[in-house]
Amino acid sequence: MNDPIGPVDATRVPRYGGDTTFARLPRLSDVADADALVWGVPFDTGVSYRPGARFGPNHVRQSSRLLRPYNPALDAQPFAVRQVADAGDLGVNPFSIDEAISTIETAARDLSGTRRTLVTVGGDHTIALPLLRVQHERHGPIAVLHFDAHLDTWDTYFGAPYTHGTPFRRASEEGLIDFDHSMHVGIRGPLYSRLDLDESERMGFAAVHCREFVRTPIDTIIDRIRTRLGDRPVYVSVDIDVLDPGFAPGTGTPEAGGLSSRELLEILRGLDGLNLVGADLVEVSPAYDHAEITGIAAAHVAYELLSVLPGGA
Ligand SMILES: N=C(N)NCCCC(=O)O
Ligand SMILES: [Zn+2]
Ligand SMILES: [Zn+2]
């Protein structure tokens, strides 16, 4: 492959104008091929409270205009060591969750092909299920690193099995989850019952609860995460509500007492060297955002994820 085409140069073309792609990267249609894709799945029919995550992908793109090509924290150039492109948005049916799930599954399979890594921007958390199905086809049971205030291992809402509160229960039932190597990070807030935690553990998820951040050094937490994931293929699912509402107000089911952006970004950097095979970033609901606070946090999450993909220098 030729040298990767990087972002538009902000020292020559003002960053506040022009095409809105993630980090001002080229579109997939403008490159010969890509190693990693940022693509949007604007779907929020699975939400249980505030809607609006269907507008997430374009908000994250707009909020990503200030990203620069060199990541000093990792001494990495995520857009120079691989071709990263923006694959645009998938057209999904907002009136049928079942149809949307199967559309997402087919599109993720086609788009990733044999070698492309997908960083999918949602959308609500329902979309993780079809994305995990495709990962499972490639890798078998997958080590899921799930950042979220919520367990998302609940059973049904109003009798509906496919919602943003249930993707990891369905994934576990379908055998997609690596039971010995999966983990939630950032869990907090009131639950429906004490059993919720036991059930989530039974479905294969160890947990770092948000409260643990009060007394535990972050390096200890990163060590725990790395030990749990080991050398398995890892899929990272980031629900932006893992952040405190002060750092991410623009989301559908906010819970007080969350992570700071600094903590989350530092943990993501701590994944460097692991075998990341894909990621999603969900639950950004711009109507509840202010001054792009949530959008900017989300853009940086995607940037750090791209920085720790394998194959970089
Ligand atoms: N996946 C997210 N963000 N939230 C799940 C919350 C489910 C509930 O309403 O209890
Ligand atoms: Zn959540
Ligand atoms: Zn979630």
Side-chain angles (χ1 to χ4, degrees), residues 192-256:
Y192 295 95
S193 140
R194 182 186 294 173
L195 287 178
D196 293 354
L197 293 170
D198 301 341
E199 290 190 1
S200 133
E201 218 178 302
R202 197 165 47 72
M203 281 171 230
F205 289 92
V208 180
H209 291 265
C210 210
R211 290 184 59 218
E212 299 183 54
F213 282 82
V214 178
R215 292 175 193 84
T216 313
I218 195 142
D219 285 338
T220 307
I221 289 175
I222 291 171
D223 280 349
R224 258 173 74 194
I225 295 170
R226 292 184 69 101
T227 303
R228 176 76 177 166
L229 299 172
D231 58 359
R232 309 298 155 126
V234 175
Y235 183 84
V236 181
S237 186
V238 182
D239 184 328
I240 203 67
D241 72 29
V242 73
L243 296 181
D244 188 87
F247 294 92
T251 195
T253 44
E255 310 280 350

Side-chain angles (χ1 to χ4, degrees), residues 76-90:
Q77 298 188 78
F79 310 133
V81 294
R82 64 182 71 78
Q83 179 66 61
V84 188
D86 189 321
D89 285 345
L90 180 65

Side-chain angles (χ1 to χ4, degrees), residues 52-63:
R54 66 181 62 183
F55 297 102
N58 274 336
H59 188 63
V60 176
R61 288 189 182 100
Q62 175 63 22
S63 304

Side-chain angles (χ1 to χ4, degrees), residues 125 148 152 239:
H125 225 151
D148 205 323
D152 290 355
D239 184 328

Side-chain angles (χ1 to χ4, degrees), residues 128-137 140-144 167 170-179 182:
L129 177 64
L131 297 170
L132 282 171
R133 286 180 183 159
V134 175
Q135 294 293 347
H136 178 263
E137 278 171 15
I142 192 100
V144 176
R170 297 289 94 79
S172 188
E173 290 167 348
E174 292 181 22
L176 313 181
I177 308 278
D178 184 334
F179 271 54
S182 294

Side-chain angles (χ1 to χ4, degrees), residues 261-275:
S261 315
R262 189 166 60 199
E263 287 165 334
L264 177 58
L265 298 177
E266 195 60 19
I267 297 174
L268 295 175
R269 292 172 193 134
L271 305 179
D272 201 23
L274 297 180
N275 184 16

Side-chain angles (χ1 to χ4, degrees), residues 17 38 59 96 151 281 286:
V38 178
H59 188 63
S96 164
L151 298 163
L281 166 58

